[in-house]
Amino acid sequence: MAELRRRLAGPGIYLSMGAFVTHVQSAIPSVAEGIHQIYHDAQILEEQRFADFHVALERPASHRRWLRPQVIFRFDGYTPFKPLPVNQAFALFEWGLNWCITTHAHQYLIIHAAVIEKEGFAAILPAPPGSGKSTLTAGLVNRGWRLLSDELGLISKAGLIQPVARPVSLKNESIEVIRHFASEACIGRVVKDTLKGTVSHMRAPTESVVRAHEQARPAWVVFPKFDTGTAATLKPMAPAQAFLGLARNAFNYSLLAEDGFRRLATLMDTTTAYSFHYGNLEEAASVFNALAEQQRAYG
């Protein structure tokens, strides 16, 4: 930990995330703490001359450095966000990485979606904030599913999912839900009063991190929605409706133009779409496991 803090405060570290390498610098202790705890299984490259992203978490050079201290996120010297309270530094690191990927990784069609995989088949879970997507994802990866991504589904030209096995973002009630559901899960520091409410991050399972270079073929597109007290219900969805839902949740669909349309159309041709309502994670896991077993049996 001491060596990690020293390197972060000095030359920085090169953090491998499967598809991307990020050069990170920060003298803020909570950033080192978060990387040490929540990126515990990620590879820190000893020598690296190239990084996809160069980022720094710094305290502003002003009187606010000591009075209600803040943190700023820098990308190649540019500051894309307003300063936040310094206790949100690690959360800002995660949000900043999402911004880096969505604004620069246009070799992929990028969908605001979690992606999980089992038995060689991947499920894309597109959904707006507040849908229960991350809660469902955290629950399923603690029941044998591989985490490919919590926030960003990256679809290659070949129609495969590129993993980015980063931490799962948990908010508000979902933090305690996952603590109760998966007591072995590693959940980091809880930070209150952010723009997203109370937030924390769950470490990606070791196997998911180790297999971060292993792409997956999508089999399902599932639009989840958490409703308290609702029985887990999986309903078939018309491909045209699913296509529109994916397009609404895609960050660069318009930018990719014809290529973006083609990738979504291919995705619809090769997957089955569902809507999914749930109110209990154990029931949700049973439904998804049955889906994987059925796919494995009929191929």
Side-chain angles (χ1 to χ4, degrees):
M1 178 66 172
E3 176 62 13
L4 176 63
R5 290 181 63 174
R6 184 194 68 78
R7 290 175 61 184
L8 278 168
I13 63 170
Y14 288 85
L15 191 62
S16 176
M17 303 172 183
F20 308 106
V21 172
T22 302
H23 177 228
V24 190
Q25 292 177 292
S26 183
I28 298 173
S30 62
V31 175
E33 174 193 290
I35 291 175
H36 175 74
Q37 182 183 24
I38 305 302
Y39 280 91
H40 182 269
D41 298 309
Q43 184 181 13
I44 296 177
L45 304 178
E46 292 302 322
E47 293 184 9
Q48 182 70 33
R49 296 183 180 179
F50 172 82
D52 296 277
F53 314 119
H54 293 266
V55 305
L57 286 299
E58 305 170 354
R59 296 192 184 193
S62 69
H63 68 280
R64 295 298 296 269
R65 185 178 181 88
W66 308 113
L67 179 66
R68 296 181 181 176
Q70 295 180 319
V71 58
I72 55 175
F73 178 91
R74 291 194 187 278
F75 170 79
D76 282 348
Y78 168 64
T79 307
F81 314 115
K82 293 181 179 180
L84 292 178
V86 73
N87 70 323
Q88 299 180 28
F90 183 73
L92 180 57
F93 171 61
E94 286 297 300
W95 299 333
L97 286 181
N98 288 339
W99 176 86
C100 289
I101 295 170
T102 57
T103 54
H104 295 85
H106 298 306
Q107 66 271 38
Y108 302 104
L109 174 64
I110 307 171
I111 299 173
H112 181 213
V115 189
I116 55 175
E117 175 266 329
K118 192 170 187 180
E119 305 287 350
F121 304 105
I124 300 172
L125 312 176
S131 62
K133 166 183 64 65
S134 292
T135 308
L136 178 62
T137 301
L140 291 174
V141 301
N142 280 288
R143 289 296 186 271
W145 288 72
R146 176 166 71 112
L147 175 68
L148 277 69
S149 177
D150 169 50
E151 287 288 337
L152 305 174
L154 306 181
I155 302 175
S156 73
K157 282 193 173 184
L160 300 177
I161 305 297
Q162 173 59 55
V164 188
R166 290 171 48 213
V168 177
S169 175
L170 300 174
K171 296 182 285 293
N172 304 314
E173 293 84 359
S174 67
I175 299 171
E176 290 307 314
V177 168
I178 296 302
R179 284 193 196 278
H180 177 74
F181 182 75
S183 58
E184 71 281 6
C186 178
I187 298 176
R189 179 183 295 194
V190 175
V191 181
K192 298 181 179 181
D193 300 322
T194 79
L195 292 174
K196 299 185 179 186
T198 300
V199 302
S200 187
H201 291 84
M202 185 191 83
R203 182 194 297 173
T206 300
E207 182 188 7
S208 299
V209 176
V210 171
R211 297 173 62 191
H213 290 281
E214 183 183 324
Q215 294 182 329
R217 187 168 298 280
W220 314 280
V221 175
V222 183
F223 291 82
K225 177 63 179 177
F226 177 82
D227 290 317
T228 303
T230 299
T233 307
L234 192 69
K235 293 183 177 180
M237 196 172 184
Q241 184 182 3
F243 184 103
L244 291 174
L246 284 169
R248 282 194 297 267
N249 282 282
F251 288 98
N252 60 348
Y253 173 71
S254 298
L255 179 66
L256 293 181
E258 183 180 346
D259 185 35
F261 176 86
R262 190 182 304 113
R263 293 196 206 188
L264 279 192
T266 300
L267 186 64
M268 290 295 90
D269 287 340
T270 56
T271 61
T272 306
Y274 299 95
S275 64
F276 179 63
H277 286 230
Y278 75 101
N280 178 281
L281 281 176
E282 289 290 2
E283 289 183 4
S286 295
V287 169
F288 271 76
N289 287 338
L291 197 64
E293 283 296 317
Q294 183 181 38
Q295 183 72 27
R296 184 175 66 85
Y298 296 104

